[in-house]
Amino acid sequence: MPKLTIDGLEIEVPAGTSVLQAAEQLGIEIPRFCYHERLPVAANCRMCLVEIEKMPKPVASCAQPAGEGMVVKTQSEVALQARKNVMELLLINHPLDCPICDQGGECDLQDQAMAYGRDKGRYDEEKRAVSEKYLGPLVKTAMTRCIHCTRCVRFLTEVAGVPELGMTFRGEHAEITTYIERALTSELSGNIVDLCPVGALTSKPYAFAARPWELRKTLSYDVFDAVGCAIRIDARGNQVMRVLPRVSEDVNEEWLADKSRHAVDGLLKRRLDVPYVRRDGRLEAATWAEAFAAVRRGFEGLAGSEIAALAGDMADAEAMFALKLLIESLGSANLDCRQDGAALDPTVPASYRFNTTIAGIEQADALLIVGSNPRVEAPVLNARIRKRAARGGFAVGVVGPKADLTYRTQHLGEGADTLQAILDGVNPFADVLAKAERPMIVLGMGALARADGARVLGAARALAEKTGMVKDGWNGFNVLHTAAARVGGLDLGFVPGPGGKGTREILAAASRGEIKAVWLLGADQIETNGLDRAFVVYQGHHGDVGAQVADVILPGAAYTEKSGTYVNTEGRVQRAPRAVFPPGEAREDWKIVRAASEVLGRTLPFDSLDALRDALAAHAPGFAVRDVATPGAWAPFGESGALDAAAGPFVSPIRNYYMTDPISRASPTMQACTVEILGETPARTGTDG
Amino acid sequence: MSEHLPDALVQPARFAFTEANQAAAQQIIAKYPAGRQRSAVMPLLDLAQRQEGWLSRAAMDHVADMLGVPPIKVYEVATFYTMYNLKPIGKLHVQVCTNISCWLRAAPEVVRAAREVLGVEFGQTRADAKATLSEVECLGACANAPVMQVGDDLYEDLTYDTAKAVLEALMRGDKVKFGSQSGRQGACPAGGPTTLKPKPPAEAAKETP
């Protein structure tokens, strides 16, 4: 524990702390470009020079470990002069193009040049120019502006685990490039735009769209996967301009996946902004009154057992709760929020949550991934696994699809028979789990959304119990969801009631004509062929699969346009406020359900969002506690029974990471990613003509 | 900077070491401790360059593959060092130093001779691919300035005439003795020793009767 003095203040810090970090603890700011607390230290920008007594020259404080008795001066003449000189050197080749640079207004170089630079440069020679680089559809480059801090290189190599950027050539000719001019293939590539301290890497979809001071900032949560990353929605007028991550140590640190960041341009396309009613086989625009009248006609005289409702992957808890009450009041128990039919047990919260918690991954010492590809299902969570793997002493076994997860894995097998072998102790990985102190298992939807899902769940529970994954202070049993709505739906019980039908049975019954009316709350990931005979109400925000089979379309709000509660895969209740208003006639989803309940003569007992939330918290107390990961209590769940290879290999539910939901399917940027990064032609949709 | 970009080139689709070079490569890799094989990147790139005359992207990818490192790490090394040629070069690679010591000793005359004999400017390759002329920084033989490197050999103490003679002979395919062209040995003083000329006292004492 060295004790040192910085600017006359004494501080004791753990050995290995750098002078810069020690100064930060004292609240002393040292300017920097290349240093970033989540990346390895490079010490190549030299901006953080300080004077240390008994050292002959100014020292880069980011790379200087604090030493016993050090006397550091960050504001001495030597330090200030050194910074001034470094700034002048950095600006030699940096163009003065701030007025046309997208980083303007939120640029470290701009700010620090104001604070620490000279008022003018003394350099009269020609500046160097660097040709632009192609890094794919998300990252735009202006490499003449680059100051070679290598944050982007270090991020992609260390955090994302996709080493595709590097610094080539040398000296004056040094360039940051992929060299082969190919799109970056990381799902986290958008983060290098945030990391770039200058305007060399900027967001391509957001290019020249807005200035930071024009934007209205709303702190919210992401719904494109079940991780629930903390985000900031930047809007101008009534349009979401961009989405940025914000710091949340327990969930996303400060990273955000590319889909969550860039799919928001899909919020402007293919929107349902007026109600539609099907007349003579064609959907026609209608008024709300006409739409509700059509809903009443469709539900008139139906028995409870002839009615069903399915909730989609982005539904907010409030809308699901309102719809659940409405459907139940109509006498139906046919409810399901599991569009993929995953065999999750809603009665035992521990059976469908990520009990270890995302931050808890860093404490684990062995991991078995079953039926999941976390790199595409939850890129930010995968980065956390990679962070743990990079520390070493962490065996990762995979049962399921073979994929590059960006860290070293042992591929044990493809299907349920391998899981059975591990459970029986035949597979050598069983020993690894048994010997580990804090082993964990991650169970993906690829393993649960199939006919033998309940048996796989049971086998996973048996394995967890057998290998000591569940004990005091440690729960290594985890389910990784792909849908932001899923855990919330299970928590509040949007599942079949007594004698009710689940997703598969509802669709089958509808195709047989036994279920006559189906309410789809943004449910687009289902097989819609069977719904031809039923009366279908589609409530959602995009004209996607569900809307095409609808008899009545009730235009709802996307996640940026309503105040909604979501529960992430850890069971963390997160409330996302409204950032912009829904377009046209579209309304917040709980209000639509509330209005419909009146039309159907089953008026719901709340008429404000607060009253609804109180009712929800009374029904499911977990919703009263926000922003805390809540692992469930351990109890038996799943079915027992032998697993066999006949059910086929586990397959990740996500084939194309960039297009998984109505918003990203409508997004031009995500289409560009599909073409340029995956090399696929996007599937043609109804609007292609 | 676009001259750095190898995109204008037609890159070969594949690269493979010859059998002999493959064995040599394995020997090089074996020199490094287990887990540190990536240290072999420079000798392997050199080996590849000697085989093909230049370093194609396919060759760099092949080396990356052999060492189990991401290709970009190999590109970084290959572009950093000027000794790796990222473009095809002529049979003779004539590199003339124009840095301070050589320049003071009339390097421009050597450059003039090279231009005349080869008929190309710096950075260019003859149409018949027989030679490439490059301007380089210090070749590490300042005591023998001006210096020019052809292939692996240094030609030192050049004048316009000797440089011309060396290059003409090399272009004809003749062998030329490398090293100093002024007749001195290594970096010994030109025209014989200038110090320690008298015999050492001990030897002188022996000779007196």
Side-chain angles (χ1 to χ4, degrees), chain A residues 129 131 163-170 173 175 177-181, chain B residues 1 4-7 57 60 70 72-73 75-76 79-82 86:
Chain A
S131 58
E164 289 174 335
L165 266 187
M167 183 145 80
T168 58
F169 301 99
R170 65 159 138 176
H173 305 292
E175 295 182 358
T177 166
T178 61
Y179 194 69
I180 48 176
E181 297 284 308
Chain B
M1 300 295 115
H4 292 314
L5 293 179
D7 276 355
R57 195 186 297 164
M60 292 189 270
I72 183 70
K73 297 290 165 206
Y75 305 152
E76 283 179 333
T79 55
F80 187 88
Y81 293 99
T82 50
L86 304 175

Short mmCIF file of all heavy atoms in Angstrom, two decimals, chain A residues 129 131 163-170 173 175 177-181, chain B residues 1 4-7 57 60 70 72-73 75-76 79-82 86:
data_model
loop_
_atom_site.label_atom_id
_atom_site.label_comp_id
_atom_site.label_asym_id
_atom_site.label_seq_id
_atom_site.Cartn_x
_atom_site.Cartn_y
_atom_site.Cartn_z
N ALA A 129 -2.19 13.84 -44.82
CA ALA A 129 -3.56 13.43 -45.10
C ALA A 129 -3.59 11.91 -45.18
O ALA A 129 -2.67 11.31 -45.71
CB ALA A 129 -4.05 14.03 -46.40
N SER A 131 -5.96 8.49 -46.21
CA SER A 131 -7.17 8.11 -46.93
C SER A 131 -8.16 7.45 -45.97
O SER A 131 -7.78 6.85 -44.97
CB SER A 131 -6.82 7.14 -48.06
OG SER A 131 -6.17 6.02 -47.53
N PRO A 163 -10.00 -9.32 -33.08
CA PRO A 163 -8.88 -8.46 -33.46
C PRO A 163 -8.82 -8.24 -34.97
O PRO A 163 -8.24 -9.03 -35.70
CB PRO A 163 -7.65 -9.22 -32.95
CG PRO A 163 -8.10 -10.63 -32.80
CD PRO A 163 -9.58 -10.65 -32.69
N GLU A 164 -9.45 -7.18 -35.41
CA GLU A 164 -9.46 -6.90 -36.85
C GLU A 164 -8.87 -5.55 -37.18
O GLU A 164 -8.57 -5.28 -38.33
CB GLU A 164 -10.90 -6.96 -37.38
CG GLU A 164 -11.42 -8.38 -37.40
CD GLU A 164 -12.87 -8.49 -37.78
OE1 GLU A 164 -13.62 -7.53 -37.58
OE2 GLU A 164 -13.26 -9.55 -38.24
N LEU A 165 -8.70 -4.70 -36.17
CA LEU A 165 -8.08 -3.40 -36.42
C LEU A 165 -6.65 -3.45 -35.92
O LEU A 165 -6.34 -4.13 -34.94
CB LEU A 165 -8.81 -2.30 -35.66
CG LEU A 165 -9.92 -1.50 -36.34
CD1 LEU A 165 -10.34 -0.37 -35.43
CD2 LEU A 165 -9.49 -0.96 -37.68
N GLY A 166 -5.79 -2.68 -36.57
CA GLY A 166 -4.41 -2.61 -36.09
C GLY A 166 -3.79 -1.31 -36.56
O GLY A 166 -4.39 -0.56 -37.34
N MET A 167 -2.58 -1.05 -36.08
CA MET A 167 -1.86 0.12 -36.55
C MET A 167 -0.79 -0.35 -37.52
O MET A 167 0.14 -1.06 -37.13
CB MET A 167 -1.24 0.91 -35.41
CG MET A 167 -0.56 2.16 -35.92
SD MET A 167 -0.69 3.54 -34.80
CE MET A 167 0.56 3.14 -33.63
N THR A 168 -0.91 0.03 -38.77
CA THR A 168 0.06 -0.41 -39.78
C THR A 168 0.99 0.75 -40.13
O THR A 168 0.71 1.90 -39.84
CB THR A 168 -0.66 -0.87 -41.05
OG1 THR A 168 -1.45 0.21 -41.55
CG2 THR A 168 -1.55 -2.06 -40.78
N PHE A 169 2.08 0.42 -40.78
CA PHE A 169 3.13 1.36 -41.14
C PHE A 169 3.67 2.03 -39.88
O PHE A 169 3.34 1.61 -38.77
CB PHE A 169 2.64 2.36 -42.19
CG PHE A 169 2.19 1.66 -43.45
CD1 PHE A 169 0.85 1.42 -43.69
CD2 PHE A 169 3.12 1.18 -44.35
CE1 PHE A 169 0.44 0.75 -44.82
CE2 PHE A 169 2.71 0.49 -45.50
CZ PHE A 169 1.37 0.28 -45.72
N ARG A 170 4.47 3.06 -40.05
CA ARG A 170 5.06 3.62 -38.84
C ARG A 170 5.37 5.10 -38.97
O ARG A 170 5.34 5.64 -40.06
CB ARG A 170 6.34 2.86 -38.50
CG ARG A 170 7.43 3.03 -39.54
CD ARG A 170 8.76 2.71 -38.90
NE ARG A 170 9.61 1.93 -39.79
CZ ARG A 170 10.85 1.59 -39.48
NH1 ARG A 170 11.35 1.94 -38.33
NH2 ARG A 170 11.57 0.90 -40.32
N HIS A 173 3.73 7.78 -41.15
CA HIS A 173 2.82 7.05 -42.05
C HIS A 173 1.89 6.10 -41.31
O HIS A 173 1.15 5.35 -41.95
CB HIS A 173 3.63 6.27 -43.09
CG HIS A 173 4.58 7.14 -43.85
ND1 HIS A 173 4.14 8.09 -44.73
CD2 HIS A 173 5.92 7.24 -43.83
CE1 HIS A 173 5.19 8.74 -45.23
NE2 HIS A 173 6.28 8.24 -44.69
N GLU A 175 -1.07 4.27 -39.65
CA GLU A 175 -2.50 4.34 -39.93
C GLU A 175 -3.24 3.27 -39.14
O GLU A 175 -2.75 2.16 -39.01
CB GLU A 175 -2.78 4.08 -41.42
CG GLU A 175 -2.20 5.13 -42.34
CD GLU A 175 -2.53 4.85 -43.79
OE1 GLU A 175 -3.17 3.81 -44.07
OE2 GLU A 175 -2.15 5.67 -44.63
N THR A 177 -6.11 0.75 -39.33
CA THR A 177 -6.84 0.17 -40.46
C THR A 177 -7.05 -1.32 -40.25
O THR A 177 -6.39 -1.94 -39.42
CB THR A 177 -6.05 0.39 -41.77
OG1 THR A 177 -6.59 -0.43 -42.79
CG2 THR A 177 -4.60 0.04 -41.60
N THR A 178 -7.96 -1.89 -41.01
CA THR A 178 -8.09 -3.34 -41.04
C THR A 178 -7.11 -3.90 -42.06
O THR A 178 -6.96 -5.10 -42.18
CB THR A 178 -9.49 -3.78 -41.48
OG1 THR A 178 -9.71 -3.27 -42.80
CG2 THR A 178 -10.55 -3.24 -40.57
N TYR A 179 -6.51 -3.03 -42.85
CA TYR A 179 -5.57 -3.33 -43.91
C TYR A 179 -6.24 -3.99 -45.10
O TYR A 179 -5.90 -3.73 -46.25
CB TYR A 179 -4.43 -4.24 -43.41
CG TYR A 179 -3.27 -4.32 -44.37
CD1 TYR A 179 -2.45 -3.22 -44.57
CD2 TYR A 179 -2.99 -5.47 -45.08
CE1 TYR A 179 -1.40 -3.27 -45.45
CE2 TYR A 179 -1.93 -5.54 -45.96
CZ TYR A 179 -1.13 -4.44 -46.14
OH TYR A 179 -0.08 -4.49 -47.02
N ILE A 180 -7.21 -4.87 -44.83
CA ILE A 180 -7.84 -5.56 -45.95
C ILE A 180 -9.17 -4.91 -46.33
O ILE A 180 -9.88 -5.40 -47.18
CB ILE A 180 -8.06 -7.05 -45.63
CG1 ILE A 180 -8.69 -7.20 -44.26
CG2 ILE A 180 -6.75 -7.80 -45.67
CD1 ILE A 180 -9.03 -8.62 -43.90
N GLU A 181 -9.51 -3.79 -45.70
CA GLU A 181 -10.70 -3.02 -46.07
C GLU A 181 -11.95 -3.87 -46.08
O GLU A 181 -12.70 -3.92 -47.05
CB GLU A 181 -10.49 -2.38 -47.47
CG GLU A 181 -9.35 -1.40 -47.52
CD GLU A 181 -9.70 -0.07 -46.86
OE1 GLU A 181 -10.71 0.52 -47.21
OE2 GLU A 181 -8.94 0.35 -45.97
N MET B 1 -1.01 9.03 -49.01
CA MET B 1 -0.54 7.77 -48.43
C MET B 1 -1.02 6.56 -49.23
O MET B 1 -0.79 5.44 -48.84
CB MET B 1 -1.06 7.60 -47.00
CG MET B 1 -0.64 8.69 -46.05
SD MET B 1 1.10 8.77 -45.76
CE MET B 1 1.46 10.38 -46.47
N HIS B 4 0.74 3.35 -49.97
CA HIS B 4 0.88 2.26 -49.02
C HIS B 4 -0.14 1.17 -49.25
O HIS B 4 0.03 0.06 -48.84
CB HIS B 4 0.72 2.77 -47.59
CG HIS B 4 1.84 3.65 -47.18
ND1 HIS B 4 3.14 3.32 -47.42
CD2 HIS B 4 1.84 4.84 -46.55
CE1 HIS B 4 3.91 4.29 -46.93
NE2 HIS B 4 3.14 5.22 -46.43
N LEU B 5 -1.25 1.57 -49.82
CA LEU B 5 -2.35 0.63 -49.92
C LEU B 5 -2.09 -0.36 -51.05
O LEU B 5 -1.91 0.04 -52.19
CB LEU B 5 -3.67 1.36 -50.17
CG LEU B 5 -4.12 2.22 -49.02
CD1 LEU B 5 -5.40 2.93 -49.38
CD2 LEU B 5 -4.33 1.39 -47.78
N PRO B 6 -2.11 -1.62 -50.72
CA PRO B 6 -1.77 -2.61 -51.72
C PRO B 6 -2.96 -2.96 -52.62
O PRO B 6 -2.90 -3.88 -53.38
CB PRO B 6 -1.35 -3.82 -50.88
CG PRO B 6 -2.05 -3.64 -49.59
CD PRO B 6 -2.34 -2.21 -49.42
N ASP B 7 -4.04 -2.16 -52.55
CA ASP B 7 -5.25 -2.57 -53.25
C ASP B 7 -5.13 -2.53 -54.75
O ASP B 7 -5.79 -3.27 -55.47
CB ASP B 7 -6.42 -1.70 -52.81
CG ASP B 7 -7.02 -2.22 -51.53
OD1 ASP B 7 -6.55 -3.29 -51.10
OD2 ASP B 7 -7.92 -1.58 -51.00
N ARG B 57 -0.43 -10.54 -49.69
CA ARG B 57 -1.35 -10.67 -48.58
C ARG B 57 -1.57 -12.14 -48.24
O ARG B 57 -1.68 -12.53 -47.08
CB ARG B 57 -2.68 -9.99 -48.90
CG ARG B 57 -3.51 -9.78 -47.67
CD ARG B 57 -4.87 -9.25 -48.03
NE ARG B 57 -4.79 -7.95 -48.66
CZ ARG B 57 -5.80 -7.41 -49.35
NH1 ARG B 57 -6.92 -8.08 -49.51
NH2 ARG B 57 -5.68 -6.22 -49.88
N MET B 60 1.16 -13.29 -46.06
CA MET B 60 1.01 -12.83 -44.67
C MET B 60 -0.07 -13.63 -43.96
O MET B 60 0.08 -14.01 -42.79
CB MET B 60 0.69 -11.34 -44.65
CG MET B 60 1.85 -10.48 -45.12
SD MET B 60 1.55 -8.72 -44.87
CE MET B 60 0.78 -8.24 -46.39
N PRO B 70 -3.96 -13.44 -35.19
CA PRO B 70 -4.86 -12.75 -36.12
C PRO B 70 -4.06 -12.13 -37.27
O PRO B 70 -2.97 -11.59 -37.02
CB PRO B 70 -5.51 -11.65 -35.27
CG PRO B 70 -5.25 -12.03 -33.86
CD PRO B 70 -4.00 -12.85 -33.85
N ILE B 72 -4.23 -9.38 -38.76
CA ILE B 72 -3.86 -7.97 -38.63
C ILE B 72 -2.54 -7.81 -37.88
O ILE B 72 -1.76 -6.89 -38.14
CB ILE B 72 -5.00 -7.17 -37.94
CG1 ILE B 72 -4.69 -5.67 -37.86
CG2 ILE B 72 -5.29 -7.69 -36.53
CD1 ILE B 72 -4.73 -4.96 -39.15
N LYS B 73 -2.25 -8.73 -36.94
CA LYS B 73 -1.00 -8.62 -36.19
C LYS B 73 0.20 -8.82 -37.12
O LYS B 73 1.26 -8.24 -36.92
CB LYS B 73 -0.96 -9.67 -35.07
CG LYS B 73 -2.06 -9.48 -34.04
CD LYS B 73 -1.84 -8.24 -33.20
CE LYS B 73 -3.11 -7.87 -32.45
NZ LYS B 73 -3.21 -6.46 -32.11
N TYR B 75 0.05 -8.13 -40.44
CA TYR B 75 0.10 -6.94 -41.31
C TYR B 75 0.82 -5.80 -40.59
O TYR B 75 1.57 -5.05 -41.21
CB TYR B 75 -1.31 -6.45 -41.67
CG TYR B 75 -2.23 -7.48 -42.31
CD1 TYR B 75 -3.60 -7.39 -42.16
CD2 TYR B 75 -1.72 -8.53 -43.08
CE1 TYR B 75 -4.46 -8.31 -42.73
CE2 TYR B 75 -2.57 -9.45 -43.65
CZ TYR B 75 -3.94 -9.35 -43.47
OH TYR B 75 -4.78 -10.26 -44.03
N GLU B 76 0.58 -5.68 -39.29
CA GLU B 76 1.22 -4.60 -38.53
C GLU B 76 2.74 -4.72 -38.60
O GLU B 76 3.43 -3.74 -38.84
CB GLU B 76 0.77 -4.64 -37.06
CG GLU B 76 -0.62 -4.10 -36.82
CD GLU B 76 -1.05 -4.16 -35.36
OE1 GLU B 76 -0.57 -5.02 -34.61
OE2 GLU B 76 -1.87 -3.33 -34.97
N THR B 79 4.09 -4.17 -42.29
CA THR B 79 4.08 -2.80 -42.80
C THR B 79 5.04 -1.91 -42.03
O THR B 79 5.48 -0.89 -42.52
CB THR B 79 2.66 -2.19 -42.71
OG1 THR B 79 2.20 -2.30 -41.36
CG2 THR B 79 1.71 -2.90 -43.64
N PHE B 80 5.37 -2.30 -40.80
CA PHE B 80 6.24 -1.48 -39.96
C PHE B 80 7.65 -1.46 -40.51
O PHE B 80 8.32 -0.43 -40.53
CB PHE B 80 6.24 -2.03 -38.53
CG PHE B 80 6.97 -1.16 -37.55
CD1 PHE B 80 6.32 -0.14 -36.89
CD2 PHE B 80 8.32 -1.38 -37.28
CE1 PHE B 80 6.99 0.67 -35.99
CE2 PHE B 80 9.00 -0.57 -36.39
CZ PHE B 80 8.33 0.46 -35.73
N TYR B 81 8.14 -2.59 -40.97
CA TYR B 81 9.53 -2.70 -41.39
C TYR B 81 9.67 -2.49 -42.88
O TYR B 81 8.99 -3.13 -43.67
CB TYR B 81 10.10 -4.06 -40.99
CG TYR B 81 10.20 -4.23 -39.50
CD1 TYR B 81 9.24 -4.91 -38.79
CD2 TYR B 81 11.25 -3.65 -38.80
CE1 TYR B 81 9.31 -5.04 -37.42
CE2 TYR B 81 11.33 -3.76 -37.42
CZ TYR B 81 10.37 -4.45 -36.74
OH TYR B 81 10.45 -4.56 -35.38
N THR B 82 10.59 -1.59 -43.25
CA THR B 82 10.74 -1.29 -44.67
C THR B 82 11.41 -2.43 -45.43
O THR B 82 11.41 -2.44 -46.65
CB THR B 82 11.56 -0.01 -44.86
OG1 THR B 82 12.75 -0.14 -44.08
CG2 THR B 82 10.79 1.20 -44.40
N LEU B 86 5.93 -4.94 -49.89
CA LEU B 86 4.51 -5.28 -50.01
C LEU B 86 4.04 -5.20 -51.46
O LEU B 86 2.87 -5.41 -51.75
CB LEU B 86 3.67 -4.35 -49.14
CG LEU B 86 4.09 -4.37 -47.66
CD1 LEU B 86 3.30 -3.35 -46.87
CD2 LEU B 86 3.91 -5.76 -47.06
#
